[in-house]
Amino acid sequence: MRRLPQYAALVAYIVFLAFPLLWLLSTALKTPQEMALTEPTWIPREPTLANFTDAFGEQDLVGAALRSLIVALFSSVITVLISLPASYAMARYRSLLNRVALGWVLVSQVFPFILIIIPLFMILREMDLVNTLPGLVAVHVTFTLPFALWMLQGYVRAVPPELEEAAAVDGASRLRSIVSVVAPLLAPGVVATLLFAFISSWNEFMFALVILQNPDVMTLPLTLVRFTGPEGVARLGPLAAASLMATIPSLIFFAIIQRRLKSGLMAGAVKG
């Protein structure tokens, strides 16, 4: 009974988090007539799959999801491959340059992204990367990398340097000790960083809106906008159905690596 308030608060928090997804599911199963009612209903009176049929029939959701998956996977993997050695250098080699670099990483997160969209577009245009997925991947890596560096350098600092010193005593080189000793211990942090980079790239809208102008290369967030008419009126049924399908890859990806993510976040919070 003493833990009853804790369980009640936990249930309330779960309901709070699940409410948007449940409401999205309810809207996707409603008919247009039911969505036009002045008193909204929680449970659809006449559930229908017509909204899903319309969503897949009107827009190339499968192709857009595949393009978003490609961009998110390449962006997250490249971000981790770059930030992992860089974070090791920032955590192990203490110097004024490293402190300045770390401070710049934090300051760069304060700048509004809207300020650099026009210069960014001009640079990509000169490099012939506008309307291309590689151009979008480069942008996502650039803007995900600072926070990934900040995350991973905390995990690197949590690894005792004595382990590397013991490996060096046994005759291991610096590279061998990093690969054989440090890298396995960083697995939870790498997974947490990978998930952050993947979800950030999967949900990103602003840069994709500026860079991708050809419908044949648009990612999923841009495709969802096409369910809004020229007058700004959204077709709620197909939009809800498409948005619900757009959340599935992130949920699956999170479900696969949630144990690694939990241990990684706990390690960064306790030891970082």
Side-chain angles (χ1 to χ4, degrees):
M1 294 299 295
R2 288 181 299 178
R3 299 179 65 91
L4 186 60
Q6 298 180 8
Y7 289 127
L10 181 61
V11 171
Y13 184 62
I14 293 176
V15 171
F16 172 77
L17 294 179
F19 174 78
L21 191 60
L22 295 177
W23 186 258
L24 200 63
L25 176 62
S26 175
T27 304
L29 296 176
K30 291 180 180 179
T31 61
Q33 294 76 15
E34 188 173 358
M35 283 187 287
L37 296 176
T38 56
E39 297 181 359
T41 57
W42 288 88
I43 301 177
R45 299 174 182 176
E46 299 179 0
T48 177
L49 297 177
N51 292 322
F52 291 91
T53 304
D54 294 341
F56 281 95
E58 296 177 8
Q59 303 294 337
D60 183 19
L61 294 180
V62 177
L66 181 60
R67 290 188 289 270
S68 291
L69 182 62
I70 293 174
V71 171
L73 287 176
F74 274 92
S75 300
S76 56
V77 171
I78 294 175
T79 297
V80 170
L81 290 178
I82 296 176
S83 60
L84 190 56
S87 61
Y88 179 86
M90 294 175 65
R92 286 291 187 261
Y93 301 100
R94 305 293 180 87
S95 65
L96 177 61
L97 180 61
N98 280 355
R99 289 195 293 269
V100 172
L102 186 59
W104 175 250
V105 166
L106 295 178
V107 172
S108 65
Q109 300 300 297
V110 180
F111 295 141
F113 291 160
I114 194 68
L115 295 179
I116 59 174
I117 284 184
I118 295 179
L120 182 65
F121 178 81
M122 296 176 64
I123 293 174
L124 293 177
R125 185 180 60 183
E126 293 296 327
M127 301 175 63
D128 292 329
L129 291 177
V130 176
N131 277 329
T132 64
L133 297 184
L136 185 61
V137 170
V139 173
H140 286 181
V141 170
T142 301
F143 286 91
T144 308
L145 195 57
F147 191 76
L149 279 171
W150 175 255
M151 288 181 63
L152 280 178
Q153 65 91 23
Y155 296 122
V156 174
R157 289 182 180 179
V159 178
E162 292 77 12
L163 296 178
E164 297 177 62
E165 296 173 359
V169 171
D170 293 337
S173 62
R174 169 73 72 173
L175 181 60
R176 180 61 182 275
S177 62
I178 293 175
V179 174
S180 302
V181 178
V182 179
L185 298 177
L186 292 179
V190 170
V191 170
T193 306
L194 190 68
L195 179 63
F196 163 77
F198 180 88
I199 293 180
S200 298
S201 179
W202 178 268
N203 295 328
E204 199 280 318
F205 174 78
M206 182 63 68
F207 293 121
L209 179 64
V210 175
I211 297 173
L212 304 180
Q213 302 171 357
N214 188 345
D216 294 333
V217 296
M218 285 185 176
T219 55
L220 193 55
L222 297 183
T223 304
L224 295 179
V225 179
R226 299 172 69 89
F227 288 102
T228 303
E231 297 82 10
V233 179
R235 300 182 57 208
L236 293 181
L239 178 59
S243 301
L244 185 63
M245 299 303 297
T247 61
I248 292 179
S250 296
L251 294 177
I252 294 177
F253 189 70
F254 178 80
I256 294 175
I257 64 174
Q258 61 175 335
R259 292 185 179 180
R260 288 284 189 176
L261 175 65
K262 180 179 177 181
S263 59
L265 293 178
M266 290 298 293
V270 175
K271 302 178 182 179

